[in-house]
């Protein structure tokens, strides 16, 4: 709902209110972002200067912009805090409120930037300046979030240089801590938390893309906020390019938050009569801690970001050949893998890199689309026919934005590649980026990718991008607009093709890509234990339905960690389950175990992918819960175990206090060989720990891991359900949790009678 009264503007839904007003002198004063309030509450929020501070400055007869909580600030009017707009100095850009418009829907942009969609109301605030520049501030309120964006119109009679333009700015009051998510390739989403002080904190990416270095999403919380209590706000940007946010507190306790495109090398020439549209910034507010904030973000992404066809639609369990084969495969190897994948329960077979041109390593072939007939004699259609005969859908990998200098495309069109301005070729993974701001380059990509999708009746595309570049400079934004144009043209006419975007793993995990790709490959770090942390951190801002998380081989290729298969599965459940290793290496018991994992995931897939997600108290590890109505699933994950462990509990949330629930552990099995020499204490026969009998037994048999069943009320379970004792070296009992390092358990909690 949007209400307007006496130049006070209120955006409100059942969870949040956002209020501001135009002052008598045309400034926009921010009043409130928080719990629902009424429009007549304005008096509670408006600031009062009293006699004012010492060093004030501002236009005569106006409020002092320096001390006003603002929705937008103009340079040179006495506000010395961060400015959201910087243009040529000779153009006066002091904006005053002019008029507003209300819409009972979202308002579409004219450029190719993606936007949130769905039921919403929009408020447009128009601010004008004497130089005939005008600013249009768009506020859209959805069920769970508010978005903001800005459009700058140039009617000055000349071109202007826009050096910086933010999507949103606001000044809120209070003490906050900020969490940003930083990292690198295979080390995504490392949280950094710090108090917001007067020095300010910048969260910015300048790699040309949203990047794993600094995810565009961030969180502000009141100190002391927990998963369930306290004020927490989530912010994000619907954009995949260079981004910038700065959060800084003023002496008066006003916290300025700006979000938008990074101004580094931005320099956008805006011609007379043209307008510039910024990406949409997103904000959610929760009075129920980090958990409430995440739930709101998850609902917003699932409802208002993900493309319509995939809204609430279950994602398939897939097999991807990359980590099993890399570039080394042929059709018969793929079919052998596909048969096994099908037997295990997979629904989709994804052929990753290496199927085209001279692509036998990452040094050549990128940019070409001719199928490698040595590897695939029947082409894409031949492979698809065989997969379809097995009952599997076909998915295909592309990396359309980049080119290897050793490729037919580069030899034909070297000028299509973006080069550094000094002419020195700088490669990243042996690649250069293609210049997506050029229409002929975009046409080439759209035509080739579309043709391959049709030829192979492809139902899933993995869209990779492994070249990051600061060489994009001022054209970085044009590149991103070009990328969105390409994605619209390829996938707009094919909404049923499931797009999973990827950028050396999670290098472009952002809301812009999610507007086209319902899921994103979380990380090339497929070590389950490492990725559990990445998934856990992603969960703050992104729902599980977006997080591609596959089971990979153990020992793991990056860490050499030998994580039990049960844990590798359990962690992938809290994401989008897939398998990615050579299935020809599986033993009979491993096959059975994977079959059971997939059956279990399919039974609860809707809950894992779209249920309400919670991070739970877990003093000794990580615990997560997904819930839908009367069914709740809790995962408990450990890293290193300690001797003489104490009792351990799970702490589910969101249960009905009076209802009686049944708790059942997911059946898991342990490799007997794990026990080595200890086996002689529990088996009647004497066995050599590394002898052939133990190894053979490990391939054919598994030992039960503690099974647990319990009936209790929601009230009891929520105060902590005590788990079976853990193995502590004093003997074996089939009821104990035989937990070594990197173990985990899953508990399904179902209301009785369901
Ligand atoms: C990087 C991706 O993140 C991997 O999953 C894989 O697709 C490779 N590229 C293929 O080159």
């Amino acid at each position: 709902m949007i209400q307007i009264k006496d130049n006070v503007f209120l955006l409100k839904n059942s969870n949040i209110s956002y209020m501001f007003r135009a002052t008598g002198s045309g400034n926009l004063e921010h009043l409130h972002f928080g719990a629902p309030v009424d429009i007549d509450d304005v008096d509670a929020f408006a600031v009062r200067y009293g006699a004012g501070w010492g060093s004030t400055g501002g236009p005569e007869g106006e409020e002092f912009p320096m001390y006003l909580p603002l929705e937008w600030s103009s340079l040179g009017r006495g506000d010395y805090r961060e400015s959201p707009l910087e243009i040529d100095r000779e153009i006066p850009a002091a904006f005053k409120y002019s008029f507003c418009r209300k819409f009972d829907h979202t308002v579409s942009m004219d450029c190719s930037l993606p936007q949130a969609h769905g039921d919403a109301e929009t408020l447009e605030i128009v601010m004008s300046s004497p130089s005939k520049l005008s600013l249009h501030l768009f506020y859209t309120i959805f069920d769970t979030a508010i978005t903001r964006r800005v459009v700058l119109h140039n009617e000055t009679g000349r071109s202007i240089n826009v050096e910086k333009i933010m999507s949103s700015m606001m000044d809120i009051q209070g003490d906050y801590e900020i969490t940003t998510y930083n990292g690198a390739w295979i080390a995504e989403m490392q949280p950094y938390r710090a108090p917001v002080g007067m020095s300010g904190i910048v969260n910015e990416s300048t790699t040309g893309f949203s990047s794993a270095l600094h995810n565009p999403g961030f969180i502000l919380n009141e100190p002391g906020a927990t998963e369930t209590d306290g004020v927490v706000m989530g912010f994000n940007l619907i954009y995949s390019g260079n981004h910038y946010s700065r959060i800084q507190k003023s002496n008066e306790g006003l916290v300025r938050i700006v979000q938008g495109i990074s101004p580094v090398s931005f320099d956008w020439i805006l011609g007379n009569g043209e307008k510039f549209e910024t990406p949409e910034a997103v904000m959610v507010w929760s009075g129920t801690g980090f958990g409430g904030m995440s739930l709101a973000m998850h609902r917003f992404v699932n409802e208002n970001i993900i493309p319509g066809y995939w809204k609430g639609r279950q994602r398939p369990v897939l097999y991807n050949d990359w980590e099993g084969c890399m570039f080394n495969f042929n059709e018969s190897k793929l079919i052998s893998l596909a048969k096994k994948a099908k037997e295990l329960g997979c629904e989709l077979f994804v052929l990753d890199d290496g199927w085209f041109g001279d692509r036998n390593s990452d040094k050549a072939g990128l940019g070409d689309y001719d199928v490698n007939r040595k590897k695939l004699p029947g082409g894409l259609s031949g492979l698809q026919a065989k997969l379809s005969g097995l009952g599997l859908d076909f998915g295909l990998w592309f990396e359309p934005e980049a080119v290897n200098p050793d490729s037919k495309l580069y030899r034909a069109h070297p000028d299509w590649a973006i080069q550094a301005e000094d002419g020195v070729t700088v490669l990243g993974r042996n690649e250069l980026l293609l210049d997506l701001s050029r229409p002929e380059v975009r046409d080439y990509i759209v035509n080739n990718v579309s043709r391959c999708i049709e030829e192979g009746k492809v139902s899933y595309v993995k869209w990779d991008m492994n070249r990051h570049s600061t060489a994009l400079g001022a054209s970085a934004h044009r590149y991103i607009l070009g990328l969105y144009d390409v994605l619209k043209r390829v996938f707009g006419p094919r909404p049923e093709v499931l797009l999973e975007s990827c950028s050396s793993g999670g290098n472009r995990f952002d809301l812009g890509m999610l507007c086209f790709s319902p899921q994103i490959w979380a990380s090339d770090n497929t070590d389950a234990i490492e990725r559990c942390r990445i998934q856990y951190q992603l969960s703050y801002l992104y729902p599980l339905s977006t997080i591609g998380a596959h089971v990979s081989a153990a020992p793991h290729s990056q860490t050499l960690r030998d994580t039990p298969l049960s844990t590798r599965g359990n962690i992938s459940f809290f994401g989008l389950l897939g398998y990615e290793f050579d299935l020809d290496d599986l033993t009979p018991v491993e096959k059975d175990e994977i079959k059971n994992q997939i059956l279990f995931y399919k039974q609860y897939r809707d809950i894992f992918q779209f249920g309400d997600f919670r991070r739970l108290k877990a003093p000794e590890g990580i615990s997560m819960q997904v819930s839908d109505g009367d069914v709740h699933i809790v995962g408990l994950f450990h890293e290193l175990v300690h001797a003489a462990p104490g009792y351990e509990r799970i702490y589910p949330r969101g249960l009905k206090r009076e209802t009686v629930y049944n708790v059942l552990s997911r059946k898991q099995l342990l490799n007997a060989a794990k026990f080595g020499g200890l086996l002689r204490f529990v088996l009647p026969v004497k066995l050599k720990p590394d002898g052939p009998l133990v190894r053979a037994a490990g391939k054919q048999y598994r030992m039960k891991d503690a099974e647990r069943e319990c009936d209790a009320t929601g009230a009891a379970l929520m105060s902590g359900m005590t788990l079976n004792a853990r193995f502590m070296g004093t003997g074996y009992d089939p009821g104990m949790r035989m937990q070594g390092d990197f173990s985990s358990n899953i508990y399904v909690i179902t209301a009785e009678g369901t």
Side-chain angles (χ1 to χ4, degrees):
M1 173 182 69
I2 293 177
Q3 281 176 289
I4 304 168
K5 189 175 169 189
D6 302 332
N7 279 352
V8 177
F9 309 95
L10 175 70
L11 296 93
K12 182 174 176 176
N13 62 27
S14 47
N15 300 311
I16 44 179
S17 279
Y18 191 103
M19 183 152 60
F20 61 100
R21 68 173 172 183
T23 65
S25 46
N27 282 311
L28 291 183
E29 180 185 356
H30 176 87
L31 295 167
H32 173 74
F33 176 40
V37 296
D38 290 331
I39 197 152
D40 293 324
D41 290 331
V42 57
D43 207 29
F45 302 118
V47 292
R48 288 168 176 77
Y49 293 132
W53 280 268
S55 57
T56 51
E60 278 221 28
E62 289 190 13
E63 312 86 12
F64 304 116
M66 176 72 180
Y67 305 118
L68 202 59
L70 290 167
E71 288 285 299
W72 193 264
S73 171
S74 299
L75 264 184
R77 314 304 282 180
D79 181 6
Y80 307 118
R81 296 168 291 171
E82 170 107 13
S83 167
L85 179 73
E86 283 176 27
I87 57 170
D88 307 326
R89 285 298 140 90
E90 61 272 25
I91 308 268
F95 296 97
K96 298 279 172 198
Y97 173 70
S98 180
F99 66 94
C100 73
R101 281 193 285 230
K102 222 169 83 162
F103 305 87
D104 58 5
H105 48 79
T106 58
V107 175
S108 301
M109 292 191 217
D110 290 333
C111 67
S112 60
L113 285 175
Q115 282 179 262
H117 53 79
D119 287 345
E121 285 181 53
T122 302
L123 174 67
E124 179 184 7
I125 298 284
V126 181
M127 300 182 82
S128 52
S129 75
S131 55
K132 297 225 167 55
L133 275 179
S134 61
L135 272 176
H136 297 240
L137 273 47
F138 288 90
Y139 297 76
T140 301
I141 178 143
F142 296 87
D143 263 357
T144 46
I146 288 174
T147 64
R148 284 188 59 180
R149 64 187 177 89
V150 170
V151 183
L152 176 67
H153 291 250
N154 177 13
E155 302 291 343
T156 58
R158 51 163 284 191
S159 289
I160 60 164
N161 183 19
V162 183
E163 286 157 25
K164 171 183 179 187
I165 178 163
M166 292 290 104
S167 300
S168 86
M169 189 207 99
M170 67 173 175
D171 294 331
I172 59 175
Q173 296 182 48
D175 282 328
Y176 298 98
E177 292 168 342
I178 182 170
T179 308
T180 57
Y181 294 94
N182 313 288
W185 176 63
I186 61 171
E188 293 88 346
M189 296 301 284
Q190 299 174 44
Y192 167 76
R193 185 171 296 174
V196 173
M198 287 167 71
S199 299
I201 290 205
V202 168
N203 184 45
E204 181 174 30
S205 160
T206 54
T207 65
F209 300 96
S210 51
S211 91
L213 277 63
H214 307 285
N215 191 277
F218 63 93
I219 299 170
L220 292 184
N221 66 279
E222 281 183 350
T226 64
E227 269 301 307
T228 50
D229 294 302
V231 168
V232 180
M233 289 170 261
F235 298 85
N236 215 331
L237 194 65
I238 308 180
Y239 192 57
S240 311
N242 290 336
H243 62 83
Y244 174 85
S245 311
R246 186 164 184 224
I247 297 85
Q248 185 174 24
K249 192 173 189 174
S250 76
N251 178 61
E252 295 69 39
L254 299 177
V255 175
R256 174 156 295 181
I257 304 160
V258 299
Q259 285 175 271
I261 298 176
S262 163
V264 169
S265 323
F266 180 64
D267 292 330
W268 188 272
I269 308 295
L270 190 65
N272 182 46
E274 289 181 354
K275 62 180 178 183
F276 183 85
E277 297 174 302
T278 67
E280 244 178 327
V282 175
M283 42 195 141
V284 302
W285 181 91
S286 150
T288 51
F290 288 90
M293 184 282 298
S294 294
L295 273 179
M297 268 301 185
H298 290 192
R299 286 186 190 142
F300 174 70
V301 173
N302 278 331
E303 277 297 304
N304 307 110
I305 292 290
I306 295 306
Y309 180 88
W310 287 99
K311 203 161 96 177
R313 194 176 288 261
Q314 293 190 354
R315 318 285 201 260
V317 177
L318 66 83
Y319 174 76
N320 180 305
D321 77 319
W322 175 247
E323 292 198 7
C325 300
M326 303 262 155
F327 296 100
N328 188 14
F329 60 85
N330 57 28
E331 197 187 77
S332 61
K333 174 69 183 175
L334 296 182
I335 295 302
S336 152
L337 291 169
K339 280 184 183 150
K340 295 195 173 81
K342 176 67 191 173
E343 265 173 53
L344 297 175
C346 293
E347 296 153 321
L348 168 72
F349 184 90
V350 180
L351 172 56
D352 209 281
D353 200 352
W355 56 267
F356 51 85
D358 290 329
R359 188 85 175 149
N360 297 311
S361 75
D362 62 11
K363 293 195 171 52
L366 208 57
D368 300 336
Y369 290 83
D370 48 320
V371 176
N372 181 331
R373 293 277 165 174
K374 279 195 197 138
K375 290 180 181 172
L376 302 176
L380 294 176
S381 55
L383 177 62
Q384 187 275 331
K386 290 190 178 157
L387 293 173
S388 166
L390 293 173
L392 285 166
D393 287 335
F394 180 31
L396 194 57
W397 178 96
F398 296 89
E399 189 179 344
E401 298 166 61
V403 63
N404 286 128
D406 184 1
S407 66
K408 289 182 203 125
L409 177 67
Y410 187 80
R411 283 186 281 278
H413 299 287
D415 59 310
W416 284 13
I418 299 171
Q419 300 274 12
E421 271 164 23
D422 57 8
V424 178
T425 299
V426 181
L427 299 176
R429 206 191 181 206
N430 310 303
E431 300 167 13
L432 289 167
L433 276 179
L434 290 169
D435 186 353
L436 266 62
S437 68
R438 291 172 65 163
E440 64 276 31
V441 176
R442 298 203 294 271
D443 290 349
Y444 175 82
I445 297 174
V446 171
N447 294 339
N448 278 295
V449 175
S450 305
R451 179 178 52 75
C452 294
I453 291 178
E454 297 305 324
E455 218 170 278
K457 296 196 179 111
V458 167
S459 68
Y460 159 107
V461 166
K462 180 172 171 190
W463 185 291
D464 203 350
M465 200 288 289
N466 296 296
R467 174 70 168 92
H468 295 84
S469 176
T470 44
L472 291 170
S475 52
H477 182 59
R478 282 204 173 79
Y479 180 99
I480 295 294
L481 292 177
L483 168 64
Y484 291 144
D485 174 63
V486 166
L487 292 171
K488 260 184 201 159
R489 286 165 61 195
V490 175
F491 297 100
R494 302 177 181 84
E496 68 295 341
V497 173
L498 175 59
L499 176 60
E500 175 152 356
S501 104
C502 166
S503 177
S504 309
N507 238 308
R508 216 160 50 179
F509 210 115
D510 62 64
L511 297 184
M513 291 312 289
L514 285 172
C515 284
F516 301 94
S517 66
Q519 55 193 67
I520 298 182
W521 183 227
S523 179
D524 277 354
N525 187 342
T526 54
D527 175 286
I529 299 302
E530 297 256 307
R531 211 204 31 239
C532 183
R533 181 191 56 71
I534 294 171
Q535 290 171 233
Y536 190 79
Q537 297 301 335
L538 277 170
S539 79
Y540 279 89
L541 295 164
Y542 303 96
L544 302 197
S545 66
T546 64
I547 303 175
H550 298 172
V551 173
S552 61
H556 189 260
S557 56
Q558 286 151 359
T559 58
L560 300 181
R561 186 179 283 119
D562 197 359
T563 307
L565 183 52
S566 52
T567 292
R568 286 180 273 151
N570 290 344
I571 288 175
S572 290
F573 296 158
F574 284 83
L576 299 168
L577 180 66
Y579 290 82
E580 190 163 338
F581 55 88
D582 193 341
L583 300 180
D584 289 334
D585 297 340
L586 285 176
T587 63
V589 281
E590 285 171 334
K591 276 188 195 157
D592 280 349
E593 193 165 347
I594 293 179
K595 276 185 197 164
N596 286 331
Q597 288 179 348
I598 295 181
L599 276 175
F600 176 80
Y601 185 71
K602 285 180 177 168
Q603 184 182 356
Y604 296 110
R605 171 162 36 188
D606 224 43
I607 305 180
F608 276 118
Q609 296 185 353
F610 303 107
D612 285 346
F613 172 87
R614 291 179 174 87
R615 290 168 294 269
L616 302 181
K617 180 162 104 180
E620 293 175 57
I622 278 187
S623 184
M624 301 183 265
Q625 174 184 334
V626 283
S627 309
D628 187 11
D630 289 328
V631 182
H632 308 263
I633 304 172
V634 171
L636 179 62
F637 305 95
H638 294 109
E639 296 201 354
L640 301 185
V641 292
H642 302 287
Y647 297 111
E648 198 181 13
R649 291 176 153 199
I650 51 168
Y651 298 89
R653 294 205 313 271
L655 276 53
K656 292 184 197 119
R657 297 188 64 78
E658 310 298 330
T659 302
V660 175
Y661 291 85
N662 172 262
V663 184
L664 195 58
S665 60
R666 186 178 87 76
K667 288 193 173 47
Q668 296 183 170
L669 298 171
L670 284 171
N671 187 346
K674 181 185 172 92
F675 293 90
L678 291 174
L679 277 179
R680 67 175 70 105
F681 298 112
V682 293
L683 293 180
V685 282
K686 290 272 173 256
L687 293 175
K688 271 186 114 177
D690 59 348
L693 278 177
V694 170
R695 281 204 305 270
K699 287 185 186 160
Q700 301 292 339
Y701 304 105
R702 285 285 192 268
M703 294 160 70
K704 274 189 188 169
D705 194 0
E707 285 173 11
R708 175 67 197 263
E709 185 161 11
C710 156
D711 291 314
T713 59
L717 295 172
M718 287 191 292
S719 42
M721 183 189 108
T722 308
L723 303 175
N724 294 17
R726 282 191 269 178
F727 177 76
M728 58 181 94
T730 49
Y732 171 75
D733 168 328
M736 76 184 29
R737 286 186 298 147
M738 300 300 291
Q739 304 220 300
D741 290 346
F742 316 119
S743 56
S744 64
N745 292 99
I746 297 265
Y747 300 91
V748 180
I749 305 173
T750 314
E752 300 241 299
T754 344

